[in-house]
Amino acid sequence: MQMLELIICYRKHLIADQIYEIRLTDNTLTLTNPKRPDTPKYIFPLNWSSEISWQLTSKENAFGFYTQPKKFKWFHAKQSDLLILKKILSKFVSFTKVQDFYEATEHLASGSSSQVYQVVRKSDKNNNFVTKCITKETIQNSVEKMNGLFDELNILKQLNHPNLPRFEEFYVGDGTYYIVLEYCQGQSLNSYLKELRHQLNVRIIQSILWELLQGIAYLHSLNIMHRDIKPENIILNIQEKKIDLKIVDFGLSVKLEPNKELKKCGTPGFVAPEIINLKNGKYGLESDIFSVGCVFYKLLLRKDLFQGETQNEILSANRRCQLNIYNLQLIHIPLTAQNLLSEMLQEDPRLRIKAVLALQHPFFRENFRISTRNINLNLSHFRSSFHTQTSNTKQQHSDDEILVDYFNNELPPINQIPVFLKYHKNGQKITQNQDNQNSQSTDSKFLYRNISKSTG
């Protein structure tokens, strides 16, 4: 916790005001009479269930809380001191009356139980904030959902990275919870890809994937798993060839702890197979990497890795996890990109590349001056043969024979990219739809969220 210089406050009385010293520990705020420093008069627990009210106006500067279930008390101090106190407490407790501090300016997104608005801070007219508004009645009668909200807050308050949103404050209203976050300028990666009429240049893909992995590596260093990495939860702001990227929506995020049982969650088409086929309540940070691999695939082809006409069909394909990325070599995707993708999409999470190692992958150092025609990609043997293939490819071409068509031009129009929906199962060739009919689906038991636009 940030150190707090001694702040003096007072409580108004008819005869004489009572002076108190404000002190903070890791889990309490105490108000102590200076004459009795070892005996706090008021002890206020620091947790998200504790609520503090503020009066910060030209006429009144005070904060207050319930000292008993039916006794609310105000404590007055200098406004500058209270602003410091409010900033520190924002990471630990709830505040009341969000309307005293913020004003909504634009509706940004909707979810099943929440709305997201851009807001302006009244004190300085700064509009660099959003508020995620969660309807109380949808979660407050469920211990599990309330704990999920507090878990999200505990994760958000830890974040301090350019590829992640900055947490500001948490407010409790009569019927709504308000999470105030940094406003992430730009549009979702999903919207960005929909608006494009051609494939992305590989150098842009490099930049997007690099920023995404930077944020994931930071989360994993804190033992935090996002659990819902998908294009809708990636916000891009591209200006003058500079890409700013933010990973948003931490509603399903969790901090891994020993013996903590995890549940199935995520979005069909981007979920790691060990989550879909979960049996023992255990999976790890590697599941985020599989989701990043699904995003990487979509960046390369602008098509989803797992396809279907319904959510259940997509989830069924996702569950089988029978990958066919042969089409990557047909459109001259660089060998290094193919290798990194295969490292991310390993079905066995123990074989999956970690985020910090992915950032060191040759794909991010590739200058794309090497021809990638006619490259044979086999997921089971690709890892061991990668360096040999790269070396041989370099030796096959002199400088004047180098093919540069991939990075000098965009990929073919989207309708010219082949899609393979057939594969072999038990020695027989079947279609994806036939396999969907044959599989025993438990999709109705799988928890997923599919929000068209997601922020914070």
Side-chain angles (χ1 to χ4, degrees):
M1 177 182 290
Q2 181 179 341
M3 294 298 295
L4 177 69
E5 294 184 6
L6 184 63
I7 292 179
I8 301 297
C9 67
Y10 62 93
R11 175 159 165 73
K12 293 182 178 180
H13 288 273
L14 291 176
I15 300 176
D17 295 341
Q18 181 62 58
I19 304 297
Y20 296 102
E21 295 177 349
I22 301 175
R23 302 181 186 276
L24 292 175
T25 67
D26 287 339
N27 54 16
T28 60
L29 177 149
T30 62
L31 277 66
T32 305
N33 187 323
K35 297 179 180 179
R36 305 183 187 90
D38 297 328
T39 309
K41 174 68 174 179
Y42 302 105
I43 299 176
F44 185 74
L46 298 183
N47 58 59
W48 298 115
S49 297
S50 300
E51 299 178 15
I52 288 185
S53 298
W54 302 90
Q55 291 182 344
L56 298 172
T57 68
S58 57
K59 296 181 179 180
E60 202 75 65
N61 291 289
F63 73 102
F65 52 84
Y66 282 96
T67 57
Q68 295 179 14
K70 294 185 179 181
K71 285 191 176 182
F72 186 91
K73 296 185 177 181
W74 287 104
F75 302 90
H76 299 259
K78 294 190 300 183
Q79 186 177 93
S80 58
D81 287 342
L82 292 182
L83 289 173
I84 293 173
L85 181 64
K86 184 172 184 283
K87 184 67 175 178
I88 295 174
L89 291 179
S90 66
K91 305 292 185 182
F92 302 96
V93 300
S94 309
F95 299 152
T96 65
K97 295 186 177 180
V98 65
Q99 65 274 14
D100 287 352
F101 301 95
Y102 297 94
E103 181 179 358
T105 57
E106 182 181 355
H107 181 263
L108 298 177
S110 298
S112 58
S113 61
S114 65
Q115 304 287 331
V116 179
Y117 292 88
Q118 185 173 2
V119 297
V120 59
R121 188 164 58 192
K122 291 183 175 181
S123 61
D124 56 8
K125 305 304 179 184
N126 186 340
N127 65 349
N128 193 33
F129 305 99
V130 295
T131 299
K132 181 178 178 181
C133 309
I134 304 168
T135 306
K136 271 188 175 182
E137 65 181 6
T138 63
I139 67 171
Q140 65 180 1
N141 293 327
S142 168
V143 174
E144 181 180 358
K145 290 181 179 180
M146 284 301 302
N147 287 337
L149 173 61
F150 295 153
D151 286 344
E152 180 179 2
L153 292 168
N154 287 329
I155 287 172
L156 287 171
K157 76 178 187 179
Q158 295 182 62
L159 305 184
N160 183 21
H161 191 274
N163 295 120
L164 304 171
R166 184 182 66 254
F167 171 76
E168 290 294 325
E169 297 167 326
F170 176 61
Y171 287 84
V172 178
D174 292 336
T176 309
Y177 297 110
Y178 304 89
I179 302 176
V180 183
L181 300 162
E182 169 193 9
Y183 172 58
C184 302
Q185 296 186 359
Q187 64 183 138
S188 73
L189 176 60
N190 190 57
S191 298
Y192 177 69
L193 292 176
K194 283 183 178 180
E195 293 177 2
L196 288 178
R197 296 184 178 180
H198 52 72
Q199 293 302 107
L200 280 173
N201 184 283
V202 69
R203 287 175 172 172
I204 296 178
I205 294 175
Q206 266 186 318
S207 297
I208 292 174
L209 187 63
W210 174 266
E211 297 292 325
L212 177 57
L213 283 169
Q214 289 273 14
I216 295 297
Y218 173 81
L219 287 175
H220 289 183
S221 72
L222 299 175
N223 224 25
I224 293 172
M225 186 163 43
H226 187 280
R227 299 203 296 183
D228 201 17
I229 297 296
K230 58 183 178 180
E232 291 88 342
N233 287 340
I234 299 168
I235 304 299
L236 285 181
N237 185 25
I238 302 178
Q239 293 182 345
E240 297 180 356
K241 298 183 180 181
K242 182 179 183 297
I243 295 179
D244 289 325
L245 179 147
K246 299 279 188 180
I247 303 168
V248 298
D249 196 346
F250 286 78
L252 294 182
S253 299
V254 64
K255 186 156 187 173
L256 295 181
E257 298 173 354
N259 302 319
K260 184 170 186 176
E261 185 173 342
L262 302 173
K263 296 187 176 182
K264 294 182 180 182
C265 64
T267 299
F270 296 90
V271 186
E274 64 268 22
I275 295 181
I276 298 180
N277 301 304
L278 184 65
K279 295 180 180 179
N280 59 3
K282 300 292 183 181
Y283 53 87
L285 302 172
E286 302 85 3
S287 62
D288 278 345
I289 298 300
F290 189 92
S291 301
V292 173
C294 295
V295 173
F296 188 18
Y297 182 92
K298 188 160 187 174
L299 287 170
L300 291 168
L301 275 81
R302 275 184 57 209
K303 290 181 178 294
D304 291 329
L305 178 60
F306 303 107
Q307 300 183 20
E309 295 182 359
T310 66
Q311 290 282 4
N312 281 343
E313 288 182 1
I314 295 171
L315 185 58
S316 180
N318 198 162
R319 174 182 289 110
R320 292 191 305 269
C321 198
Q322 293 181 322
L323 306 177
N324 187 342
I325 55 178
Y326 174 71
N327 43 357
L328 296 180
Q329 60 184 282
L330 296 184
I331 56 173
H332 309 157
I333 299 297
L335 175 61
T336 51
Q338 296 181 44
N339 173 254
L340 178 56
L341 183 65
S342 71
E343 297 251 17
M344 291 178 170
L345 295 178
Q346 291 288 337
E347 186 172 5
D348 186 342
R350 295 171 297 180
L351 301 179
R352 227 169 276 155
I353 192 170
K354 297 184 183 300
V356 290
L357 295 179
L359 288 166
Q360 301 172 27
H361 193 276
F363 171 66
F364 295 110
R365 301 192 298 273
E366 178 68 84
N367 62 11
F368 303 105
R369 293 178 56 81
I370 300 172
S371 170
T372 56
R373 296 183 187 276
N374 302 320
I375 293 173
N376 182 31
L377 177 62
N378 186 308
L379 280 177
S380 61
H381 301 291
F382 196 87
R383 180 190 298 266
S384 61
S385 63
F386 170 68
H387 295 292
T388 302
Q389 290 181 10
T390 304
S391 175
N392 291 340
T393 305
K394 288 182 179 180
Q395 294 173 2
Q396 291 171 1
H397 299 278
S398 61
D399 289 341
D400 57 350
E401 293 176 325
I402 287 174
L403 301 173
V404 295
D405 58 323
Y406 184 83
F407 80 92
N408 275 342
N409 302 288
E410 302 293 350
L411 293 180
I414 193 72
N415 59 3
Q416 294 182 22
I417 296 179
V419 178
F420 300 91
L421 296 180
K422 295 182 179 181
Y423 55 88
H424 289 78
K425 186 174 183 180
N426 297 328
Q428 295 183 345
K429 192 175 183 180
I430 64 174
T431 65
Q432 182 173 333
N433 289 336
Q434 287 173 329
D435 191 53
N436 285 341
Q437 295 172 1
N438 296 335
S439 63
Q440 296 180 353
S441 174
T442 56
D443 299 337
S444 60
K445 298 179 181 179
F446 184 74
L447 171 65
Y448 62 81
R449 305 191 310 176
N450 183 31
I451 301 173
S452 59
K453 185 176 181 184
S454 182
T455 306

